[in-house]
Amino acid sequence: MRRSRGKQMGYIICPIVIPKNAVAETWMADTEHPDDGWQELGQILMALRSHDPRIEYKLSELMEVYLPSDYNADKSLPIATVVGLVSVENKISYFLHEGNPGEAQAAATDCVENGIPPSKRGMRPLNDAYPNETVKAKQSKGLIPPSTLPKQEPIAVITARPVPNLDPEAPIVVELRQSSVVRGKSKSDGYPGPINIDKTKKKARKMANGYEGRKIKPSSPKDKLPRQEQLALRLLEKSNAEQMGIFVNLLEKSGLCRSKSAQSVNLLQQATEQACFALRQDELELILAKHFRISHEDNGADACTIASLLLMNAAMLHQRAVAGNWLANVNTPLSRIKSAPNAIRLFRNDWNRIAQHDFLPVIKPALEIIEVVEECGRESGLNSALRHLAGEAEKLAAQYADMGADYAGELFNKVMGNQSSDGAFFTRPTAAALL
């Protein structure tokens, strides 16, 4: 920075284009397209980091985000949102909601929680606005009315799904996730490209399965949002930064956070999510939830996620034991298991040998998961999950062990949605008593 006598601070002003009539906070927190401003801002910050590393770890103290008072000048136009509603049969339907900011969240919650028809909550089928080929053919023949585009192009996509519960009489708990729509290449004037409906639907399916988007707290239909006025969002506290999503987005999506440790945490998160997906495909959620004796009344992590984390722990310990020749008769390399037709048998054999020596807090929960799944006869998903975890653990175990406990906690909180109460599944009672 250019220095001058008496000068205390240098300023970098980086404009970010926000689409007309978009809610700036929501757009900045949710947008994921690299051309939407984060990448450019990240390049500037990375260049500064080479001169002063404080730019990264003290960013929350150095950065302010200002929103002009007229950023959403035409308040007569409603905000459009793509909404994916998931049924109890795990089928997703797509709708378009037009209304004030926050109304789409309340409407989606109401539909899933109380069984209200989407049309009663201001939603219409997404195909009415963005028809697929079948609908287009019917429209061309005059069989159904022509499509009617929303007054404003959708900015965000929201999914709402009922969280599985073992008690059929328990109230329905809704998991809401939110992200940005998928767009094409940005226009020459800097504005985002056109919405890609097919890719947005695909993204919504991943969100409904818990692989994309960020969890948001369900809002009541009666909630009243504060009037949008001139804002200066001072990101001076980490809790506020995480709540807004802006600081987190900046680090993750600008490319600023590129350390090996952060990359490893991200890779481990992806590995557990893929394993979780394989377990869900075999419909093991309720079976594992019964095994863990958990319910979803407090929106904790789901059973498949917990099982994936426990299996990943055991797989990484397995890799460390084999690579370091720690224990006699524990020598099955993960490179063999990741391509074996029966990963369950190979893992079980070596895990039983490891358990004879020690490491029960890590190995025993993983072996119990295998027993529970084998009893129900649905082993395909578990086999697939274990093969995937074997491949990832082989690459990451040593580096992850070197990162220390702080990064383990970061991984658990990231994968489990910051549900602090779920930590009981990883700190066993005996260990807690000793601590």
Side-chain angles (χ1 to χ4, degrees):
M1 302 294 292
R2 294 183 179 136
R3 300 189 178 193
S4 178
R5 181 176 298 176
K7 180 179 177 182
Q8 299 297 319
M9 184 72 71
Y11 294 91
I12 299 172
I13 300 175
C14 183
I16 296 178
V17 177
I18 298 173
K20 186 178 180 181
N21 297 308
V23 179
E25 300 97 313
T26 302
W27 186 87
M28 292 180 73
D30 293 335
T31 185
E32 294 179 356
H33 198 284
D35 294 331
D36 284 341
W38 297 119
Q39 188 178 67
E40 182 177 2
L41 182 56
Q43 289 171 351
I44 295 171
L45 293 170
M46 280 191 288
L48 287 171
R49 184 181 62 175
S50 65
H51 299 284
D52 190 341
R54 292 177 299 173
I55 200 71
E56 181 167 10
Y57 65 81
K58 285 195 172 183
L59 184 61
S60 61
E61 300 174 18
L62 301 172
M63 177 179 169
E64 294 182 2
V65 180
Y66 290 90
L67 307 179
S69 58
D70 60 346
Y71 73 90
N72 192 16
D74 190 356
K75 293 181 171 59
S76 62
L77 293 176
I79 302 297
T81 305
V82 175
V83 180
L85 300 180
V86 183
S87 66
V88 292
E89 294 83 13
N90 206 31
K91 294 182 179 180
I92 186 168
S93 302
Y94 305 98
F95 298 90
L96 184 70
H97 181 278
E98 294 182 82
N100 294 325
E103 287 184 352
Q105 299 177 15
T109 303
D110 204 15
C111 290
V112 174
E113 191 175 70
N114 302 314
I116 305 298
S119 59
K120 299 289 186 181
R121 296 294 281 120
M123 286 187 271
R124 57 187 171 115
L126 189 60
N127 280 340
D128 288 358
Y130 300 96
N132 56 29
E133 296 302 319
T134 302
V135 175
K136 287 180 181 178
K138 292 182 179 180
Q139 290 175 345
S140 64
K141 297 178 181 179
L143 299 176
I144 57 176
S147 61
T148 54
L149 291 171
K151 295 179 180 179
Q152 291 293 308
E153 196 170 58
I155 300 295
V157 54
I158 291 174
T159 59
R161 74 175 182 96
V163 179
N165 198 310
L166 295 175
D167 185 359
E169 298 182 359
I172 295 177
V173 176
V174 179
E175 179 184 290
L176 279 178
R177 286 185 177 267
Q178 183 169 324
S179 188
S180 60
V181 296
V182 181
R183 297 183 176 277
K185 188 176 180 180
S186 297
K187 301 176 183 178
S188 58
D189 59 3
Y191 276 83
I195 183 174
N196 187 316
I197 290 297
D198 290 337
K199 289 186 177 180
T200 297
K201 288 181 177 180
K202 184 177 180 181
K203 183 177 185 178
R205 288 195 293 272
K206 291 183 178 180
M207 290 169 59
N209 285 320
Y211 302 131
E212 287 202 28
R214 63 183 178 92
K215 284 185 179 181
I216 54 177
K217 183 180 179 181
S219 57
S220 167
K222 298 180 180 179
D223 285 349
K224 293 183 178 179
L225 293 166
R227 184 180 178 185
Q228 301 293 341
E229 299 291 347
Q230 183 173 353
L231 298 174
L233 304 178
R234 297 182 179 272
L235 305 182
L236 299 179
E237 297 180 5
K238 188 177 180 182
S239 59
N240 181 49
E242 289 178 343
Q243 181 181 1
M244 295 306 300
I246 294 174
F247 184 57
V248 175
N249 254 308
L250 178 60
L251 286 176
E252 292 185 355
K253 295 171 184 173
S254 68
L256 184 65
C257 191
R258 290 183 173 178
S259 65
K260 288 185 177 180
S261 58
Q263 290 175 355
S264 294
V265 170
N266 288 335
L267 289 173
L268 281 166
Q269 180 189 12
Q270 294 170 11
T272 53
E273 287 176 347
Q274 286 295 321
C276 180
F277 178 77
L279 297 176
R280 285 177 180 162
Q281 289 291 95
D282 250 6
E283 299 180 351
L284 294 171
E285 173 65 30
L286 295 180
I287 293 170
L288 291 170
K290 184 177 180 180
H291 166 65
F292 291 127
R293 299 178 184 176
I294 62 173
S295 65
H296 295 276
E297 295 178 359
D298 57 354
N299 284 333
D302 60 86
C304 288
T305 297
I306 294 172
S308 299
L309 282 168
L310 292 171
L311 292 170
M312 186 59 166
N313 278 349
M316 287 197 292
L317 175 60
H318 183 154
Q319 168 64 16
R320 296 281 285 166
V322 172
N325 292 318
W326 289 358
L327 306 171
N329 299 323
V330 179
N331 50 25
T332 307
L334 298 194
S335 57
R336 176 187 170 192
I337 297 178
K338 69 183 181 182
S339 57
N342 193 335
I344 295 176
R345 178 175 57 82
L346 294 177
F347 263 134
R348 187 204 296 109
N349 290 344
D350 267 23
W351 287 354
N352 278 320
R353 296 186 187 112
I354 294 173
Q356 290 174 6
H357 296 271
D358 206 338
F359 309 106
L360 275 178
V362 176
I363 298 299
K364 186 178 178 181
L367 288 172
E368 289 174 349
I369 292 169
I370 290 178
E371 292 174 6
V372 168
V373 174
E374 286 184 327
E375 284 178 5
C376 75
R378 302 178 192 171
E379 300 176 25
S380 176
L382 179 60
N383 245 325
S384 177
L386 287 174
R387 282 195 293 267
H388 181 77
L389 291 177
E392 297 303 310
E394 181 187 21
K395 295 182 291 185
L396 294 167
Q399 185 172 331
Y400 190 66
D402 293 339
M403 286 192 292
D406 288 346
Y407 287 100
E410 179 184 341
L411 170 68
F412 293 154
N413 285 331
K414 194 172 184 181
V415 175
M416 298 175 71
N418 289 317
Q419 299 295 326
S420 57
S421 62
D422 288 326
F425 289 103
F426 303 99
T427 303
R428 298 178 70 80
T430 305
L434 288 171
L435 289 171

